[in-house]
Amino acid sequence: MSLQFILNRKVALALLITLTLMSPGCLSLLSMREIMEDMKEDPKSRSQDTRVGWDYTFDTQDFESTEYSNESEFLIDPTVSQIEIFFDASIGDAVSDIVNETFPGLVEEVGARYVEISVWEPGEYPSGTPFLTERATENYEFIETYINEDSSPFENGDWLLTVESRGIGVEAPIDIFSVYDSFSVKVTVSRPCVFFAEVHEVGECTDLIDLE
């Protein structure tokens, strides 16, 4: 819907309201109601994404690795259509491997630097079985979409995304010797929503479950 179209609608509505208010009492109210009904747009169904996750780069300023962990909840309800999980890790590099071989212990073994993500259904964390676990000990990328099917629907409730990791981040005088472990993890939940032109701005909508 263009901005010009919205402005034209508003101008037309203002003129019609002015003319209607100049009409006799009951006729004025009846005309106003008819005008408002005629100018209403039908609601439009859309899909809206909700995203949780992190982008993180280690910054230790030495070759001793440090830990990073985090967690974030996201809501799953019966209207959710799919869950997309994206995971990208950058761990280790040729230079740090060479340094580690030349000076044992200066840079910890790549296997000691890792990123592990898990997605947990309601009530499973921390002692239950995760919905998904992915672990990276080197450069790694993972992306998967899970569909909410009638034959195997998602568990409704608060799900949990967790990450546990260990890495290093060192800026060297010579750039090629700099080492920065990093990762990105995102969980995107898609659900239907409804757009009402009379109340929503562009890009807004109301979740379908809130209208049920």
Side-chain angles (χ1 to χ4, degrees):
M1 185 185 300
S2 68
L3 178 60
Q4 186 62 44
F5 178 74
I6 295 173
L7 293 175
N8 289 340
R9 278 172 53 87
K10 290 183 176 180
V11 172
L13 180 59
L15 290 173
L16 286 170
I17 291 174
T18 301
L19 292 173
T20 302
L21 291 175
M22 295 172 63
S23 303
C26 292
L27 178 59
S28 174
L29 292 175
L30 180 60
S31 300
M32 175 71 75
R33 184 176 301 134
E34 291 176 347
I35 290 170
M36 295 300 291
E37 289 295 328
D38 290 341
M39 294 195 68
K40 279 185 178 180
E41 287 189 28
D42 292 334
K44 295 180 174 63
S45 296
R46 298 181 175 177
S47 180
Q48 180 166 258
D49 292 340
T50 304
R51 184 173 292 110
V52 298
W54 315 275
D55 297 305
Y56 187 79
T57 299
F58 286 90
D59 185 10
T60 58
Q61 293 308 309
D62 58 42
F63 288 108
E64 182 177 352
S65 63
T66 60
E67 294 182 348
Y68 173 84
S69 62
N70 211 333
E71 61 183 50
S72 183
E73 288 186 343
F74 57 96
L75 178 65
I76 297 297
D77 60 62
T79 68
V80 168
S81 59
Q82 67 178 40
I83 300 173
E84 181 185 270
I85 301 173
F86 170 80
F87 175 39
D88 180 83
S90 176
I91 302 174
D93 54 84
V95 172
S96 62
D97 293 344
I98 292 174
V99 172
N100 192 63
E101 291 176 1
T102 307
F103 306 100
L106 181 60
V107 178
E108 293 191 34
E109 293 290 345
V110 173
R113 293 146 61 192
Y114 70 94
V115 181
E116 180 174 292
I117 67 163
S118 296
V119 174
W120 305 81
E121 294 175 288
E124 291 294 326
Y125 180 80
S127 58
T129 302
F131 175 82
L132 169 140
T133 294
E134 292 292 325
R135 183 184 178 92
T137 57
E138 58 187 3
N139 293 344
Y140 181 75
E141 182 174 313
F142 170 88
I143 183 169
E144 188 70 50
T145 300
Y146 301 88
I147 306 299
N148 195 6
E149 299 177 322
D150 292 337
S151 58
S152 56
F154 297 146
E155 186 77 21
N156 295 326
D158 291 324
W159 290 43
L160 188 68
L161 169 66
T162 63
V163 62
E164 295 181 357
S165 60
R166 175 179 286 274
I168 62 174
V170 181
E171 181 178 4
I174 302 176
D175 192 55
I176 62 171
F177 289 102
S178 297
V179 181
Y180 284 101
D181 295 331
S182 62
F183 67 86
S184 176
V185 56
K186 298 288 189 300
V187 172
T188 303
V189 177
S190 301
R191 53 168 53 84
C193 66
V194 182
F195 173 81
F196 297 95
E198 290 75 21
V199 297
H200 288 136
E201 299 291 338
V202 175
E204 296 180 341
C205 61
T206 299
D207 289 341
L208 180 61
I209 194 169
D210 292 335
L211 301 174
E212 295 179 347

